[in-house]
């Protein structure tokens, strides 16, 4: 019997405590850090420069590729990211006829805030009206914007037949747009 009375009193005490949490907890301010600000889409405009050493010719051969992307203007997101960029170096066996093949990889974007976003990306290129257009899609797997999808469009000048027959295509630069959804 005594045990039942204690148990009943414990239930009443829990009910009173729950009521207090509901009444006073709802009125208490929630710290801003408890609810991170939702950031909308981020859009960045910039340039991408690619260099090839040795130059890309008709004959496929190992070529060291250096890619530098710079975003001078970013808007949206949570407002903190204003600019950014990326840098990659790799070697591939390619020629003018195989520059359009699909690819998969990892790209790390570095932002003006000091944060990074690492994304698993893939894409393939098409030649159209004197340009090689490469849509890159992916998902941010680490860092800022984690879990969000991205689309980057990169149009670069198409190599001419003279470049491919001669010493080869050694560089290309064009505009690029990045959107993180």
């Amino acid at each position: 019997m005594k045990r039942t009375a204690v148990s009943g009193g414990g239930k009443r005490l829990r009910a009173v405590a729950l009521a207090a949490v509901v009444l006073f907890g709802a009125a208490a301010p929630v710290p801003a850090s408890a609810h991170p600000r939702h950031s909308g889409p981020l859009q960045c405009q910039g340039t991408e420069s690619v260099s090839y050493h040795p130059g890309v010719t008709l004959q496929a051969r190992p070529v060291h590729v250096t890619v530098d992307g710079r975003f001078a203007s970013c808007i949206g997101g949570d407002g903190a990211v204003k600019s950014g960029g990326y840098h990659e170096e790799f070697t591939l066996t390619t020629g003018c006829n195989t520059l359009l093949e699909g690819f998969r990889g990892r790209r790390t974007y570095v932002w003006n805030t000091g944060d990074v976003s690492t994304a698993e990306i893939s894409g393939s290129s098409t030649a159209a009206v004197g340009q090689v257009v490469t849509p890159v899609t992916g998902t941010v797997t680490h860092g800022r914007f984690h879990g969000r999808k991205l689309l980057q469009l990169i149009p670069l000048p198409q190599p001419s037949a003279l470049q491919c027959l001669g010493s080869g295509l050694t560089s290309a630069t064009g505009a690029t747009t990045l959107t993180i959804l």
Side-chain angles (χ1 to χ4, degrees):
M1 191 95 172
K2 193 172 189 183
R3 186 171 187 171
T4 306
V6 171
S7 178
K11 287 181 185 176
R12 279 192 303 270
L13 183 58
R14 278 183 263 159
V16 170
L18 179 60
V21 167
V22 170
L23 289 174
F24 298 115
V30 177
S33 62
H35 297 288
R37 190 169 142 187
H38 175 70
S39 63
L42 175 75
Q43 187 164 36
C44 298
Q45 305 288 325
T47 58
E48 180 175 286
S49 298
V50 183
S51 65
Y52 307 96
H53 184 73
V56 179
T57 62
L58 284 178
Q59 179 69 33
R61 61 183 174 180
V63 176
H64 183 80
V65 181
T66 302
V67 180
D68 282 302
R70 299 286 173 251
F71 300 112
S73 172
C74 295
I75 59 171
D78 63 3
V81 172
K82 304 291 186 196
S83 61
Y86 54 95
H87 175 85
E88 299 164 347
E89 292 189 37
F90 51 91
T91 300
L92 57 92
T93 300
T94 192
C96 285
N97 294 331
T98 58
L99 270 177
L100 304 180
E101 291 183 353
F103 62 89
R104 291 188 165 289
R106 181 175 290 137
R107 176 168 285 170
T108 299
Y109 299 92
V110 179
W111 307 111
N112 64 290
T113 59
D115 296 319
V116 299
S117 298
T118 301
E120 296 295 326
I121 60 170
S122 63
S124 62
S125 304
T126 56
V129 194
Q131 290 187 326
V132 173
V133 180
T134 306
V136 174
T137 59
T139 302
V140 178
T141 56
H142 295 48
R144 190 178 196 104
F145 307 114
H146 181 264
R148 304 213 3 219
K149 302 289 184 196
L150 67 83
L151 170 64
Q152 184 175 357
L153 293 174
I154 309 162
L156 295 172
Q158 187 173 2
S160 71
L162 289 176
Q163 286 174 312
C164 292
L165 290 171
S167 60
L169 172 69
T170 57
S171 65
T173 299
T176 184
T177 302
L178 171 70
T179 303
I180 297 180
L181 302 169

